[in-house]
Amino acid sequence: MLTKIAVQTIKTKWKNLLILFAGLVISTAIFYMFSTVANNKAFLTANTSIKSIIVVFVIGEILLGLITFIYLNFANRFLVQLRQREYGLLMMFGANKLSISRLLFMETFFLGLISLVMGSFLGAGLTIVAGNVLQKQLDLTLPHWQIFNSTGFIITICYFIIVFSLNGFLNQLYINRTDINKLLQANQSAEKTPKTGVANFITGIIGIVLLILSFVVMAQLVAKGIFILIALVLAIVLNISGTYLFIRSSLTLVLNVLKGSSLSATGLRRFTLGQLSFRLRAFERILTIVTLLFALALGALTVGRGYELSTPTLAEQSSPFTININQPSKQDDQLISQLQGVTYTKTYQYKQLTNEIVWDAAQFDREPLPYYKSSTSDNSSFTASVPKIQFGNANQISKPNPSDFLIRKTLTDLATATNPNHISIGNTVDTHKFAISKAPVKRVTIVHVKNMTSQPNAQILKKLAATQTKRFPTLATLGVSGAYGFLEISKGVFGGLEFMGFFLAIAFLVMLASTLMFKVLSNVDIDRRRYQILTMIGATPAQRIFANALEIAIIFIVPLTIGIIDVVYGLPMFKALMVNPYIGLTSSLLIIVSFYTLYYVLTVIIYQQMLKKGNK
Amino acid sequence: MKNVIDVKNLNLTYNTNGSKPFYALKDVNLTVSEGKFVAIMGPSGSGKSSLLNVLASLQAPTSGEVLIDDQNIWQLNANQLAKFRGQKLGFIFQEYNLIESLSVFDNIALPLSLAKAKAANIKEAVNHVATLLHLTEQLTKFPSELSGGQKQRVAAARALVHQPKLIFGDEPTGALDSANAREMMNYLNKINNEQHISILMVTHDGFSASFANKIHFLSDGQIVQTLERGDQTREEFYRAVLDFLGTFEE
Ligand SMILES: Nc1ncnc2c1ncn2[C@@H]1O[C@H](COP(=O)(O)OP(=O)(O)OP(=O)(O)O)[C@@H](O)[C@H]1O
Ligand SMILES: [Mg+2]
């Protein structure tokens, strides 16, 4: 009999159960995705230069665990909400409380188990897709990359089994504790909006203070690597509790102010406000974790973008030419001619003696050598701009002014490929010496392009560098000179972080989307009747859609604002790791906010569809 | 006298998947004159709610005409229909149909807010109907904190607050005990007499129906009999209804 009823429930409420199920599967998948990376120690250590990276990921995993826990708890309550009326009815007709609560436990547990299995598969799929697409997109091949990690998998399984059992147990407790009448009146009772009194004001102030403290800890301790572990945990705890208190008090305040204002009297505004206050308490927790996810996603993306954007700039700063080709072949020349946005191409001749490289001075008068002026302050390498390229003739190369001495570096960099011991070797610029030497003439071509990461340049430069390395084995260990060579090396150093930034951003965004969508859509059933009543009373379709869109908009705006504040003030945390943590902020904001807006529209559309469907 | 409701040859067919169509309303003709209180009675499943839903523009008929206040409602589009309902109609349904997320005050005020009335006017109107229906003490409460009778009175207050032409009631006393039902009917009577709002009410309860000026009896989707109250007192009319029901049931 009980199973028959359970099957019937699935039949009639499958849409709701589907939302629930999708939510569970996605959260499992994201946890799997994160665990796979977090527990891949070889990958983490091989791809970053940061010593504490493993600790950071352990903390990250705990944080995600916490977020998932709150989410699952919420999902669980939704399940109970779906079932409790029925359980109440059954009990009223004399069903045994114990068997009912056992049934609910089994339901919770099995639903969890199925989503665990499916979530793991989805997680592996997401890891493959996100991992491979990203590496391809960023032009990286990261060593030790895995799509399955046994430790990560075991942690995922254990974690979810524990949480599902716990939830099942809590459900059992809830059913046992709650009287039948309450069960039958599920979702009917209101929580009144708390008053905006002194207590609420103080809560808000405490929230703001905690948030500010968390930013101070991030900028002063985490950024400087002081007690990094404790500092990170402290920052997170302060930030979460601050966010929670702030959301709680500001929402209460805003709702009360709006309710009091005469503006709220017209149209469906009071209805929207009522809806929001009715769910205020449930929203506080969910909005806190959504805010957290928003900030994490935006932060991760900003750091990833930061590396992506700043490495070409750093590379540009490192050398006034993009690449140098020693002894260019016909093919090389042809490739060079295909480069786009070329600032200059210059070819020089030299002769290689045992202890020095001799350059014909006259050629530098014809084709001056590019260089950067050395900057006066030490900090200048921290600026995000690329200095102007200067050109110097033979005289300047031989006797450079103090501010022009980097011209010698350009000269030294030109012929590294043909000289295994280039550092100890001297470079002489002398027309006469060049003329009398019997050594064969060698040639080197240097090119500068405006953009070396865009196509087709990236592709061409890659080919050029590859043939050079093949021809001159020295380069295999030394790397190609010039800005392009620097870019390749920094990819090895920063590529891992860049990748992790993007990977985590995707994971957090999916989790955010799932949480928010779940929270919003879990209300459809309750709302449907309310919107029907509104129809009956004379609200036009447009008014109804607007009321609904507004309600959802307010829910969406809270994490957006606080999340952005979190990132803007939290970014200094990465000062030790990157030159300018803010460099990727604008573009990341653009990406995430457009995604978020699109997602908002989608949510409203789905909501409307679901409201309509139920009418039939 | 002018008719607020004029129904001509109304048919409603339910097409359930697979099985043959079910004729819920068959060629119904009916009028309600302005300011009158009309009841519709009939056994369960006879089509009372279906008729009311069609008249109240909540459900489209299969064929036939529904004129309310001289307006053919099924010629209006969704927006016009919404406006029409908001201005001219009020509803009191069996399951109270209150919005749990709104306070009693806000529930009652809804039709006025929708019509974009001024805050001060809303307050005045709500207080007025709240006094009329003895709800002044309950205004700040939420629906979940009310008794069944109180909820029903809130629904009545909401149906009344914007001074509609016509109030539709589907078993407005259905969920109430006899004392509360009598009270509710007295209120409706008062609304009808003092505010001159026409009422069309569906009920299976003869006592409630006896408050009306006229009762139509529905059976298998057809109006089979009509009783006029005329000059009878309510008690006399009630007895007449009971007598009729005695013969009708056989
Ligand atoms: N959506 C529907 N689809 C198919 N048949 C329906 C539908 N709604 C109602 N019916 C049928 O139409 C008939 C009339 O239903 P209606 O709800 O109007 O009855 P009623 O007179 O209000 O009964 P009660 O006094 O029990 O409320 C019933 O036989 C019912 O089974
Ligand atoms: Mg009915």
PDB file of all heavy atoms in Angstrom, chain B residues 64-86:
ATOM      1  N   GLY B  64     -22.718  29.258 -27.168  1.00  0.00           N
ATOM      2  CA  GLY B  64     -23.667  30.072 -26.424  1.00  0.00           C
ATOM      3  C   GLY B  64     -23.095  31.441 -26.110  1.00  0.00           C
ATOM      4  O   GLY B  64     -21.942  31.728 -26.407  1.00  0.00           O
ATOM      5  N   GLU B  65     -23.934  32.290 -25.531  1.00  0.00           N
ATOM      6  CA  GLU B  65     -23.564  33.679 -25.283  1.00  0.00           C
ATOM      7  C   GLU B  65     -23.672  34.003 -23.810  1.00  0.00           C
ATOM      8  O   GLU B  65     -24.616  33.578 -23.149  1.00  0.00           O
ATOM      9  CB  GLU B  65     -24.538  34.586 -26.044  1.00  0.00           C
ATOM     10  CG  GLU B  65     -23.863  35.513 -27.015  1.00  0.00           C
ATOM     11  CD  GLU B  65     -24.891  36.324 -27.789  1.00  0.00           C
ATOM     12  OE1 GLU B  65     -25.820  36.849 -27.153  1.00  0.00           O
ATOM     13  OE2 GLU B  65     -24.758  36.400 -29.019  1.00  0.00           O
ATOM     14  N   VAL B  66     -22.718  34.725 -23.302  1.00  0.00           N
ATOM     15  CA  VAL B  66     -22.816  35.206 -21.926  1.00  0.00           C
ATOM     16  C   VAL B  66     -22.678  36.715 -21.940  1.00  0.00           C
ATOM     17  O   VAL B  66     -21.632  37.241 -22.294  1.00  0.00           O
ATOM     18  CB  VAL B  66     -21.697  34.605 -21.041  1.00  0.00           C
ATOM     19  CG1 VAL B  66     -21.831  35.131 -19.616  1.00  0.00           C
ATOM     20  CG2 VAL B  66     -21.741  33.087 -21.057  1.00  0.00           C
ATOM     21  N   LEU B  67     -23.777  37.429 -21.607  1.00  0.00           N
ATOM     22  CA  LEU B  67     -23.707  38.885 -21.521  1.00  0.00           C
ATOM     23  C   LEU B  67     -23.692  39.258 -20.052  1.00  0.00           C
ATOM     24  O   LEU B  67     -24.580  38.866 -19.295  1.00  0.00           O
ATOM     25  CB  LEU B  67     -24.919  39.536 -22.181  1.00  0.00           C
ATOM     26  CG  LEU B  67     -25.082  39.314 -23.693  1.00  0.00           C
ATOM     27  CD1 LEU B  67     -26.366  39.986 -24.167  1.00  0.00           C
ATOM     28  CD2 LEU B  67     -23.887  39.871 -24.431  1.00  0.00           C
ATOM     29  N   ILE B  68     -22.683  39.989 -19.668  1.00  0.00           N
ATOM     30  CA  ILE B  68     -22.663  40.500 -18.305  1.00  0.00           C
ATOM     31  C   ILE B  68     -22.606  42.004 -18.394  1.00  0.00           C
ATOM     32  O   ILE B  68     -21.710  42.562 -19.029  1.00  0.00           O
ATOM     33  CB  ILE B  68     -21.476  39.930 -17.516  1.00  0.00           C
ATOM     34  CG1 ILE B  68     -21.706  38.430 -17.359  1.00  0.00           C
ATOM     35  CG2 ILE B  68     -21.348  40.628 -16.163  1.00  0.00           C
ATOM     36  CD1 ILE B  68     -20.867  37.730 -16.380  1.00  0.00           C
ATOM     37  N   ASP B  69     -23.595  42.652 -17.785  1.00  0.00           N
ATOM     38  CA  ASP B  69     -23.722  44.100 -17.869  1.00  0.00           C
ATOM     39  C   ASP B  69     -23.656  44.524 -19.341  1.00  0.00           C
ATOM     40  O   ASP B  69     -22.912  45.435 -19.700  1.00  0.00           O
ATOM     41  CB  ASP B  69     -22.608  44.768 -17.043  1.00  0.00           C
ATOM     42  CG  ASP B  69     -23.026  46.176 -16.628  1.00  0.00           C
ATOM     43  OD1 ASP B  69     -24.245  46.438 -16.585  1.00  0.00           O
ATOM     44  OD2 ASP B  69     -22.122  46.985 -16.367  1.00  0.00           O
ATOM     45  N   ASP B  70     -24.365  43.808 -20.178  1.00  0.00           N
ATOM     46  CA  ASP B  70     -24.467  44.055 -21.621  1.00  0.00           C
ATOM     47  C   ASP B  70     -23.184  43.791 -22.405  1.00  0.00           C
ATOM     48  O   ASP B  70     -23.078  44.155 -23.566  1.00  0.00           O
ATOM     49  CB  ASP B  70     -24.919  45.498 -21.913  1.00  0.00           C
ATOM     50  CG  ASP B  70     -26.323  45.719 -21.408  1.00  0.00           C
ATOM     51  OD1 ASP B  70     -27.085  44.728 -21.369  1.00  0.00           O
ATOM     52  OD2 ASP B  70     -26.644  46.855 -21.021  1.00  0.00           O
ATOM     53  N   GLN B  71     -22.220  43.207 -21.761  1.00  0.00           N
ATOM     54  CA  GLN B  71     -20.957  42.937 -22.451  1.00  0.00           C
ATOM     55  C   GLN B  71     -20.847  41.442 -22.722  1.00  0.00           C
ATOM     56  O   GLN B  71     -20.962  40.636 -21.800  1.00  0.00           O
ATOM     57  CB  GLN B  71     -19.797  43.403 -21.564  1.00  0.00           C
ATOM     58  CG  GLN B  71     -18.427  43.045 -22.083  1.00  0.00           C
ATOM     59  CD  GLN B  71     -18.071  43.829 -23.328  1.00  0.00           C
ATOM     60  OE1 GLN B  71     -18.137  45.059 -23.365  1.00  0.00           O
ATOM     61  NE2 GLN B  71     -17.717  43.114 -24.389  1.00  0.00           N
ATOM     62  N   ASN B  72     -20.620  41.076 -23.968  1.00  0.00           N
ATOM     63  CA  ASN B  72     -20.400  39.670 -24.281  1.00  0.00           C
ATOM     64  C   ASN B  72     -18.978  39.310 -23.870  1.00  0.00           C
ATOM     65  O   ASN B  72     -18.013  39.627 -24.548  1.00  0.00           O
ATOM     66  CB  ASN B  72     -20.596  39.439 -25.779  1.00  0.00           C
ATOM     67  CG  ASN B  72     -20.544  37.962 -26.119  1.00  0.00           C
ATOM     68  OD1 ASN B  72     -19.937  37.172 -25.392  1.00  0.00           O
ATOM     69  ND2 ASN B  72     -21.188  37.589 -27.204  1.00  0.00           N
ATOM     70  N   ILE B  73     -18.861  38.664 -22.717  1.00  0.00           N
ATOM     71  CA  ILE B  73     -17.526  38.520 -22.119  1.00  0.00           C
ATOM     72  C   ILE B  73     -16.600  37.647 -22.947  1.00  0.00           C
ATOM     73  O   ILE B  73     -15.398  37.820 -22.921  1.00  0.00           O
ATOM     74  CB  ILE B  73     -17.587  37.975 -20.679  1.00  0.00           C
ATOM     75  CG1 ILE B  73     -18.377  36.673 -20.615  1.00  0.00           C
ATOM     76  CG2 ILE B  73     -18.144  39.010 -19.740  1.00  0.00           C
ATOM     77  CD1 ILE B  73     -18.227  35.970 -19.289  1.00  0.00           C
ATOM     78  N   TRP B  74     -17.153  36.713 -23.706  1.00  0.00           N
ATOM     79  CA  TRP B  74     -16.263  35.826 -24.444  1.00  0.00           C
ATOM     80  C   TRP B  74     -15.787  36.421 -25.752  1.00  0.00           C
ATOM     81  O   TRP B  74     -15.134  35.774 -26.549  1.00  0.00           O
ATOM     82  CB  TRP B  74     -16.889  34.442 -24.605  1.00  0.00           C
ATOM     83  CG  TRP B  74     -16.926  33.795 -23.257  1.00  0.00           C
ATOM     84  CD1 TRP B  74     -18.022  33.554 -22.501  1.00  0.00           C
ATOM     85  CD2 TRP B  74     -15.796  33.381 -22.490  1.00  0.00           C
ATOM     86  NE1 TRP B  74     -17.659  33.028 -21.286  1.00  0.00           N
ATOM     87  CE2 TRP B  74     -16.292  32.902 -21.264  1.00  0.00           C
ATOM     88  CE3 TRP B  74     -14.416  33.394 -22.688  1.00  0.00           C
ATOM     89  CZ2 TRP B  74     -15.471  32.419 -20.251  1.00  0.00           C
ATOM     90  CZ3 TRP B  74     -13.596  32.910 -21.691  1.00  0.00           C
ATOM     91  CH2 TRP B  74     -14.120  32.440 -20.487  1.00  0.00           C
ATOM     92  N   GLN B  75     -16.109  37.725 -25.949  1.00  0.00           N
ATOM     93  CA  GLN B  75     -15.533  38.430 -27.093  1.00  0.00           C
ATOM     94  C   GLN B  75     -14.354  39.295 -26.672  1.00  0.00           C
ATOM     95  O   GLN B  75     -13.699  39.916 -27.494  1.00  0.00           O
ATOM     96  CB  GLN B  75     -16.583  39.320 -27.756  1.00  0.00           C
ATOM     97  CG  GLN B  75     -17.495  38.538 -28.685  1.00  0.00           C
ATOM     98  CD  GLN B  75     -18.629  39.379 -29.201  1.00  0.00           C
ATOM     99  OE1 GLN B  75     -18.814  40.516 -28.790  1.00  0.00           O
ATOM    100  NE2 GLN B  75     -19.400  38.805 -30.101  1.00  0.00           N
ATOM    101  N   LEU B  76     -14.087  39.335 -25.372  1.00  0.00           N
ATOM    102  CA  LEU B  76     -12.988  40.172 -24.883  1.00  0.00           C
ATOM    103  C   LEU B  76     -11.674  39.389 -24.946  1.00  0.00           C
ATOM    104  O   LEU B  76     -11.666  38.164 -24.834  1.00  0.00           O
ATOM    105  CB  LEU B  76     -13.253  40.587 -23.433  1.00  0.00           C
ATOM    106  CG  LEU B  76     -14.509  41.409 -23.192  1.00  0.00           C
ATOM    107  CD1 LEU B  76     -14.723  41.620 -21.697  1.00  0.00           C
ATOM    108  CD2 LEU B  76     -14.409  42.747 -23.897  1.00  0.00           C
ATOM    109  N   ASN B  77     -10.572  40.111 -25.113  1.00  0.00           N
ATOM    110  CA  ASN B  77      -9.276  39.424 -25.046  1.00  0.00           C
ATOM    111  C   ASN B  77      -8.828  39.315 -23.592  1.00  0.00           C
ATOM    112  O   ASN B  77      -9.471  39.840 -22.687  1.00  0.00           O
ATOM    113  CB  ASN B  77      -8.229  40.119 -25.921  1.00  0.00           C
ATOM    114  CG  ASN B  77      -7.862  41.494 -25.407  1.00  0.00           C
ATOM    115  OD1 ASN B  77      -7.974  41.769 -24.205  1.00  0.00           O
ATOM    116  ND2 ASN B  77      -7.450  42.368 -26.297  1.00  0.00           N
ATOM    117  N   ALA B  78      -7.700  38.635 -23.385  1.00  0.00           N
ATOM    118  CA  ALA B  78      -7.266  38.334 -22.016  1.00  0.00           C
ATOM    119  C   ALA B  78      -7.138  39.591 -21.157  1.00  0.00           C
ATOM    120  O   ALA B  78      -7.573  39.612 -20.005  1.00  0.00           O
ATOM    121  CB  ALA B  78      -5.951  37.578 -22.044  1.00  0.00           C
ATOM    122  N   ASN B  79      -6.557  40.650 -21.739  1.00  0.00           N
ATOM    123  CA  ASN B  79      -6.382  41.878 -20.964  1.00  0.00           C
ATOM    124  C   ASN B  79      -7.702  42.553 -20.626  1.00  0.00           C
ATOM    125  O   ASN B  79      -7.923  42.983 -19.500  1.00  0.00           O
ATOM    126  CB  ASN B  79      -5.518  42.869 -21.753  1.00  0.00           C
ATOM    127  CG  ASN B  79      -4.048  42.579 -21.556  1.00  0.00           C
ATOM    128  OD1 ASN B  79      -3.656  42.092 -20.488  1.00  0.00           O
ATOM    129  ND2 ASN B  79      -3.262  42.849 -22.565  1.00  0.00           N
ATOM    130  N   GLN B  80      -8.549  42.636 -21.653  1.00  0.00           N
ATOM    131  CA  GLN B  80      -9.850  43.282 -21.422  1.00  0.00           C
ATOM    132  C   GLN B  80     -10.660  42.495 -20.400  1.00  0.00           C
ATOM    133  O   GLN B  80     -11.314  43.047 -19.528  1.00  0.00           O
ATOM    134  CB  GLN B  80     -10.620  43.364 -22.741  1.00  0.00           C
ATOM    135  CG  GLN B  80      -9.970  44.297 -23.745  1.00  0.00           C
ATOM    136  CD  GLN B  80     -10.562  44.129 -25.129  1.00  0.00           C
ATOM    137  OE1 GLN B  80     -10.964  43.019 -25.508  1.00  0.00           O
ATOM    138  NE2 GLN B  80     -10.623  45.200 -25.890  1.00  0.00           N
ATOM    139  N   LEU B  81     -10.551  41.169 -20.521  1.00  0.00           N
ATOM    140  CA  LEU B  81     -11.276  40.298 -19.607  1.00  0.00           C
ATOM    141  C   LEU B  81     -10.803  40.526 -18.174  1.00  0.00           C
ATOM    142  O   LEU B  81     -11.605  40.624 -17.241  1.00  0.00           O
ATOM    143  CB  LEU B  81     -11.040  38.836 -20.020  1.00  0.00           C
ATOM    144  CG  LEU B  81     -12.082  37.827 -19.614  1.00  0.00           C
ATOM    145  CD1 LEU B  81     -13.461  38.255 -20.068  1.00  0.00           C
ATOM    146  CD2 LEU B  81     -11.742  36.468 -20.208  1.00  0.00           C
ATOM    147  N   ALA B  82      -9.474  40.637 -18.027  1.00  0.00           N
ATOM    148  CA  ALA B  82      -8.912  40.861 -16.699  1.00  0.00           C
ATOM    149  C   ALA B  82      -9.437  42.172 -16.119  1.00  0.00           C
ATOM    150  O   ALA B  82      -9.876  42.236 -14.970  1.00  0.00           O
ATOM    151  CB  ALA B  82      -7.393  40.872 -16.776  1.00  0.00           C
ATOM    152  N   LYS B  83      -9.416  43.227 -16.937  1.00  0.00           N
ATOM    153  CA  LYS B  83      -9.912  44.532 -16.490  1.00  0.00           C
ATOM    154  C   LYS B  83     -11.384  44.441 -16.118  1.00  0.00           C
ATOM    155  O   LYS B  83     -11.830  44.970 -15.106  1.00  0.00           O
ATOM    156  CB  LYS B  83      -9.752  45.555 -17.621  1.00  0.00           C
ATOM    157  CG  LYS B  83      -8.348  46.013 -17.815  1.00  0.00           C
ATOM    158  CD  LYS B  83      -8.223  47.524 -17.600  1.00  0.00           C
ATOM    159  CE  LYS B  83      -6.770  47.913 -17.455  1.00  0.00           C
ATOM    160  NZ  LYS B  83      -6.000  47.613 -18.674  1.00  0.00           N
ATOM    161  N   PHE B  84     -12.115  43.747 -16.976  1.00  0.00           N
ATOM    162  CA  PHE B  84     -13.550  43.599 -16.757  1.00  0.00           C
ATOM    163  C   PHE B  84     -13.824  42.928 -15.420  1.00  0.00           C
ATOM    164  O   PHE B  84     -14.629  43.387 -14.619  1.00  0.00           O
ATOM    165  CB  PHE B  84     -14.144  42.779 -17.904  1.00  0.00           C
ATOM    166  CG  PHE B  84     -15.625  42.610 -17.834  1.00  0.00           C
ATOM    167  CD1 PHE B  84     -16.472  43.615 -18.261  1.00  0.00           C
ATOM    168  CD2 PHE B  84     -16.179  41.449 -17.314  1.00  0.00           C
ATOM    169  CE1 PHE B  84     -17.850  43.462 -18.191  1.00  0.00           C
ATOM    170  CE2 PHE B  84     -17.551  41.288 -17.236  1.00  0.00           C
ATOM    171  CZ  PHE B  84     -18.391  42.302 -17.680  1.00  0.00           C
ATOM    172  N   ARG B  85     -13.129  41.825 -15.190  1.00  0.00           N
ATOM    173  CA  ARG B  85     -13.289  41.114 -13.916  1.00  0.00           C
ATOM    174  C   ARG B  85     -12.930  42.019 -12.761  1.00  0.00           C
ATOM    175  O   ARG B  85     -13.607  42.058 -11.742  1.00  0.00           O
ATOM    176  CB  ARG B  85     -12.382  39.877 -13.896  1.00  0.00           C
ATOM    177  CG  ARG B  85     -12.979  38.672 -14.561  1.00  0.00           C
ATOM    178  CD  ARG B  85     -12.287  37.425 -14.083  1.00  0.00           C
ATOM    179  NE  ARG B  85     -10.909  37.349 -14.563  1.00  0.00           N
ATOM    180  CZ  ARG B  85     -10.535  36.593 -15.594  1.00  0.00           C
ATOM    181  NH1 ARG B  85     -11.417  35.859 -16.237  1.00  0.00           N
ATOM    182  NH2 ARG B  85      -9.294  36.580 -15.969  1.00  0.00           N
ATOM    183  N   GLY B  86     -11.804  42.731 -12.935  1.00  0.00           N
ATOM    184  CA  GLY B  86     -11.319  43.591 -11.859  1.00  0.00           C
ATOM    185  C   GLY B  86     -12.303  44.695 -11.513  1.00  0.00           C
ATOM    186  O   GLY B  86     -12.415  45.101 -10.362  1.00  0.00           O
TER     187      GLY B  86
END
